[in-house]
Amino acid sequence: MEAAIKMIGELSSGEIRELVRGKYSEVALNSTSKYKFRVGKQYALDLGYAAGEIESFPEMLAESFTGVSSYLARCGEFAPGEVILELGAGGGLDTALLARKVGPSGKVIGIDLSLAMVRKAVTGLGRLGLPNVRCVQALAEELPLPDSSVDWVVSNGIFNLSPEKERILEEVHRVLKPRGRVLCSEIVLQREPSLEERFHEEDWFK
Ligand SMILES: C[S@@+](CC[C@H](N)C(=O)[O-])C[C@H]1O[C@@H](n2cnc3c(N)ncnc32)[C@H](O)[C@@H]1O
């Protein structure tokens, strides 16, 4: 029997989350397959990541890159010793760049809902020998962190994937220290997508 295909608007938040988890786990495990979005090192270079830095990293750190800009580590005025929380850290490319910014006295905590992505980031970052990073499987909507515990929250392309953006923002507000800062690269709609564009789950970033 064929599974019923639903319109995107008919999917629950939990169903959308599982589709997102499945898709990015696939990217972590098969980064060279064909996707509806760009993946990998050449994409990162085209977006403006510094070739010298990327070339010095273990190959796997950029292999599953699917961010939407190269600005995270460049745009924040990160200081040594600061604690950064990265939402949807994926394969760990920005995580590595950010960890270098805050140095050994600082810390980067990367969270991602896909266990396969987290495993990939842990392996790649481990090969780079960075002592100040920790990657865990978690939802941005339910952060496993205490109140007022981080100086920065950053992300590179996670909000567009969550149907519960307000819950994420509430969590960001909760975990940020007073005067903490937020830096997010995101896809923003400039108009409502048409019915055809939001047709059904088979069309959706498959
Ligand atoms: C567009 S990718 C970007 C990954 C990474 N930032 C990069 O630049 O390569 C989004 C990532 O966020 C993760 N993600 C999506 N929704 C999430 C959520 N609600 N909570 C935690 N992670 C999520 C996905 O598994 C995926 O790895």
Side-chain angles (χ1 to χ4, degrees):
M1 202 173 80
E2 254 182 52
I5 305 283
K6 290 187 181 177
M7 298 283 284
I8 287 296
E10 295 171 341
L11 296 171
S12 67
S13 294
E15 285 172 321
I16 291 178
R17 183 175 296 145
E18 289 319 310
L19 285 170
V20 170
R21 193 199 305 276
K23 185 53 63 182
Y24 285 97
S25 296
E26 209 181 312
V27 173
L29 298 170
N30 302 301
S31 57
T32 54
S33 297
K34 197 133 186 61
Y35 297 98
K36 281 192 173 168
F37 46 88
R38 289 192 69 191
V39 176
K41 180 169 148 186
Q42 190 54 52
Y43 170 46
L45 293 172
D46 292 347
L47 277 179
Y49 279 84
E53 222 157 4
I54 292 206
E55 299 296 350
S56 73
F57 286 166
E59 202 61 23
M60 66 188 307
L61 270 180
E63 208 170 75
S64 298
F65 171 76
T66 52
V68 297
S69 87
S70 59
Y71 295 131
L72 280 195
R74 267 200 258 148
C75 287
E77 289 166 11
F78 304 105
E82 286 185 320
V83 179
I84 303 176
L85 167 66
E86 186 187 3
L87 306 177
L93 179 60
D94 287 318
T95 324
L97 294 167
L98 294 165
R100 285 187 169 171
K101 293 271 178 192
V102 295
S105 60
K107 189 159 65 171
V108 183
I109 304 157
I111 67 114
D112 202 287
L113 60 66
S114 156
L115 185 57
M117 273 298 187
V118 172
R119 287 190 172 139
K120 191 158 193 175
V122 167
T123 308
L125 293 163
R127 286 185 192 167
L128 198 53
L130 289 168
N132 57 342
V133 290
R134 189 162 66 93
C135 289
V136 291
Q137 185 190 25
L139 292 176
E141 294 86 348
E142 291 167 28
L143 294 172
L145 291 173
D147 297 355
S148 306
S149 56
V150 305
D151 299 291
W152 285 92
V153 176
V154 304
S155 68
N156 194 351
I158 182 183
F159 281 92
N160 67 93
L161 298 168
S162 172
E164 297 182 293
K165 300 176 197 354
E166 281 180 14
R167 276 184 73 198
I168 299 182
L169 288 171
E170 279 165 16
E171 280 294 80
V172 167
H173 184 251
R174 181 183 68 75
V175 301
L176 269 178
K177 292 178 187 171
R179 302 183 66 80
R181 282 171 286 178
V182 179
L183 178 65
C184 300
S185 291
E186 203 40 81
I187 298 172
V188 180
L189 286 177
Q190 293 183 312
R191 59 167 177 80
E192 273 294 300
S194 67
L195 245 197
E196 292 74 40
E197 284 166 327
R198 57 167 78 186
F199 194 48
H200 54 59
E201 74 190 66
E202 271 215 326
D203 294 334
W204 188 50
F205 81 2
K206 207 169 178 190

